[in-house]
Amino acid sequence: MAWSGFSGMNRDALCPRAYAVGPHWKDGRVPTEPPSSAWVFPDPTDADDDLVGLGADLEPGTLLAAYRRGLFPMPADEADTPMLWWSPQHRGIIPLDGLLVSRSLRQSARTMQVRVDTAFDEVIAACADPGRDAGWIDDAVLDAYTELHELGWAHSIEAWREGELVGGLYGVAIGGLFAGESMFHRVRDASKVALVGLVGMLRDEHADRRLLDVQWRTDHLASLGAVTIPRPAYLELLADAVDLPLPRPFR
């Protein structure tokens, strides 16, 4: 069910005008462009696999250059292997008019408040919890995205209940692109409520050109409306999206 089709939900609890935002953004701060990367990434259209690069670093300029080119980093399982850079041949996205919201999720959303960037460190630490299955966020990734957050490019979308952080997600916003990285929950549906909130933020006057990237389509994300598109189609959408203004809650 699309955002505009919610029934029985208090939209004021989740609409962008009602979001609580962190102190960095109350003064109208805009992202700071870091020094350019010393690395040149390969053209993903030339790759025959999802993996398109190996090495480089996680400096802010490198990360932004990668996202603008359609790549994202993910460490290898082996500690001595250089950083891996991915651009899936079949890219997972969530169309902003295709979010699926179940009745139980609508009920959960009524009990939570969505906030932006009020607890980024806690969100990314929860996503990096080594006790989670298939955890991939190591200290280098955690530090890199924290620095990207301090520069105004990485954001946390948080679900709170009775003053307690119960779930959320984080990702990178560049113009009209939001590249989701990871999510967590401590109570049922909390990460999904954060996702619903994020979609609400992106559904503004530029919604038809904004791009919500989820990297790969999983069964969990498919249940929320995620689909796959070919890499060339993703890169075309990306080139258009990054030139848009940021959504209002991020600027």
Side-chain angles (χ1 to χ4, degrees), residues 131-183:
R132 300 180 67 191
D133 292 338
W136 57 270
I137 302 173
D138 59 19
D139 288 344
V141 171
L142 190 152
D143 291 344
Y145 283 85
T146 298
E147 184 175 3
L148 209 58
H149 169 69
E150 292 170 352
L151 291 172
W153 298 95
H155 302 276
S156 60
I157 316 300
E158 309 142 12
W160 292 75
R161 175 183 285 169
E162 298 179 352
E164 179 182 356
L165 178 67
V166 293
L169 61 89
Y170 80 95
V172 176
I174 304 175
L177 166 71
F178 190 92
E181 283 295 316
S182 187
M183 57 202 312

Side-chain angles (χ1 to χ4, degrees), residues 22-110:
H24 292 313
W25 309 109
K26 290 181 179 178
D27 60 1
R29 172 184 161 187
V30 296
T32 300
E33 188 71 39
S36 299
S37 177
W39 304 89
V40 177
F41 286 101
D43 185 346
T45 60
D46 294 334
D48 295 327
D49 198 354
D50 290 1
L51 180 63
V52 299
L54 183 148
D57 57 39
L58 292 175
E59 291 296 316
T62 302
L63 287 170
L64 293 179
Y67 282 105
R68 287 166 171 152
R69 200 165 178 81
L71 284 68
F72 57 86
M74 189 170 289
D77 293 335
E78 298 77 17
D80 295 334
T81 303
M83 183 60 64
L84 305 179
W85 297 88
W86 305 84
S87 181
Q89 297 182 82
H90 304 286
R91 192 70 168 240
I93 68 168
I94 296 180
L96 299 184
D97 60 356
L99 182 68
L100 302 177
V101 182
S102 66
R103 178 178 299 178
S104 63
L105 178 53
R106 292 199 301 270
Q107 293 172 342
S108 295
R110 297 189 188 103

Side-chain angles (χ1 to χ4, degrees), residues 1-11 101-103 106-107 110:
M1 183 179 297
W3 171 268
S4 60
F6 283 175
S7 61
M9 172 175 285
N10 178 4
R11 285 190 54 150
V101 182
S102 66
R103 178 178 299 178
R106 292 199 301 270
Q107 293 172 342
R110 297 189 188 103

Side-chain angles (χ1 to χ4, degrees), residues 233-250:
Y234 174 83
L235 296 175
E236 185 176 344
L237 293 174
L238 173 68
D240 180 54
V242 294
D243 288 334
L244 295 173
L246 284 167
R248 193 166 293 105
F250 298 152

